[in-house]
Amino acid sequence: MVTMRFAKGHGTENDFVILPDPEGELQLTKETVRLLCDRRAGIGGDGILRVVRTRALGETLAPAARTAERPEWFMDYRNSDGSVAEMCGNGVRVFAHYLRHTGLVEGDRFEVGTRDGAKGVVVETDGDITVDMGRVEMQGTSSAKLARQAVHGSQISVGNPHLACEVQGPVADVDLSEPPELDAEAFPEGANVEVYTEVAPGVLEMRVYERGSGETRSCGTGIVAAAAAAAPEGEESTWRVRVLGGECTVYLDASGARLRGPATIVAEGETSLL
């Protein structure tokens, strides 16, 4: 029986199975990802964070991610259905915390490689981690059909595609039990769909249906997308965004967005599911 080390972590209860694979030797199939993320038959998680040295990836990095070649460590993120995702804001925080926790990096400032390029992280004095998410691209408007209603909002790229929709009334009343039906022309690869409402000046409440994972307790890129959708165009602003799993802060300015929030490692062990 082959066993492998793993860890389990979360950022505002967006949870991940962390697989250390420094030399890129692991063949991570869709079936393996699904099993590991299964909350009954596996370890359970919204996705997988494979910890791999960037140099081990060779020529597999897409041209859009070339700045990811700078950091030593690359976050190979997979959704719970086995699909590959470009970026995960909560995942970067958990990944960065794991690198520090295991001594793979030192210092309070470093970069993490992702399919959306290199992301700078800062470990704050209180243990929170701030991620430089880069520029947020506003791409117009679109709509989605949820289980019981249609929603309309901003089409946004935070390295991955989003539809951030302001709704009237509590976000708890929105039915996210079924996959949203999206405009296939606007979102050929699918998208995360956020519903949000401003409950106080600079404070949002949000829920999210994540592409490839279903409704999750939190979504870092979705938190940034909701803040960008709510922000006055062209103005610097700071937003507290409350999700089912906690709260993060988003800072928006001319250089892009920064996402600050907690990250926790809850367990470490060995698995024979691989």
Side-chain angles (χ1 to χ4, degrees):
M1 179 181 295
V2 178
T3 62
M4 183 173 179
R5 297 292 300 173
F6 78 92
K8 177 74 181 287
H10 76 91
T12 50
E13 298 182 6
N14 193 190
D15 61 337
F16 310 96
V17 179
I18 305 163
L19 299 177
D21 182 29
E23 303 309 316
E25 299 169 332
L26 178 62
Q27 297 299 313
L28 200 56
T29 67
K30 285 188 175 183
E31 292 73 21
T32 300
V33 171
R34 290 169 183 161
L35 178 57
L36 288 168
C37 291
D38 190 298
R39 297 189 182 279
R40 292 178 176 83
I43 298 168
D46 293 324
I48 297 287
L49 305 175
R50 183 170 70 120
V51 184
V52 60
R53 283 194 169 90
T54 306
R55 61 170 170 76
L57 298 174
E59 296 301 315
T60 63
L61 283 177
R66 284 306 179 197
T67 60
E69 293 178 340
R70 293 198 307 255
E72 179 180 4
W73 296 100
F74 186 90
M75 181 186 76
D76 177 15
Y77 178 66
R78 313 293 176 96
N79 295 311
S80 61
D81 69 351
S83 59
V84 174
E86 302 91 341
M87 177 56 184
C88 177
N90 289 330
V92 172
R93 296 203 317 277
V94 173
F95 189 93
H97 179 56
Y98 178 82
L99 294 180
R100 278 283 305 269
H101 172 73
T102 55
L104 294 175
V105 300
E106 297 180 354
D108 296 332
R109 294 175 179 268
F110 51 93
E111 289 186 322
V112 168
T114 77
R115 290 186 176 84
D116 188 45
K119 302 296 179 184
V121 299
V122 178
V123 181
E124 308 289 354
T125 56
D126 63 357
D128 276 4
I129 293 178
T130 300
V131 181
D132 184 347
M133 303 290 285
R135 292 191 178 276
V136 179
E137 186 178 346
M138 309 298 289
Q139 299 175 328
T141 60
S142 190
S143 302
K145 184 180 182 300
L146 305 181
R148 291 188 293 159
Q149 69 187 92
V151 291
H152 311 276
S154 300
Q155 183 177 346
I156 298 172
S157 173
V158 190
N160 57 348
H162 292 264
L163 179 64
C165 305
E166 185 175 14
V167 296
Q168 302 301 314
V171 294
D173 293 345
V174 178
D175 187 345
L176 293 178
S177 62
E178 300 176 10
E181 295 180 21
L182 293 158
D183 179 345
E185 185 174 342
F187 298 105
E189 303 299 325
N192 295 359
V193 176
E194 293 80 33
V195 292
Y196 71 89
T197 188
E198 188 169 357
V199 295
V203 182
L204 304 179
E205 287 187 350
M206 186 198 90
R207 288 172 61 207
V208 57
Y209 192 102
E210 287 200 60
R211 175 188 59 168
S213 297
E215 184 179 8
T216 57
R217 304 280 295 175
S218 179
C219 171
T221 54
I223 286 171
V224 172
E233 185 176 357
E235 294 185 18
E236 293 187 6
S237 56
T238 299
W239 296 85
R240 293 166 50 204
V241 183
R242 299 171 181 165
V243 291
L244 295 175
E247 180 177 299
C248 290
T249 302
V250 179
Y251 308 94
L252 297 170
D253 57 30
S255 64
R258 287 169 291 135
L259 173 69
R260 175 172 176 162
T264 304
I265 303 297
V266 298
E268 296 179 81
E270 291 186 343
T271 178
S272 58
L273 293 173
L274 295 163

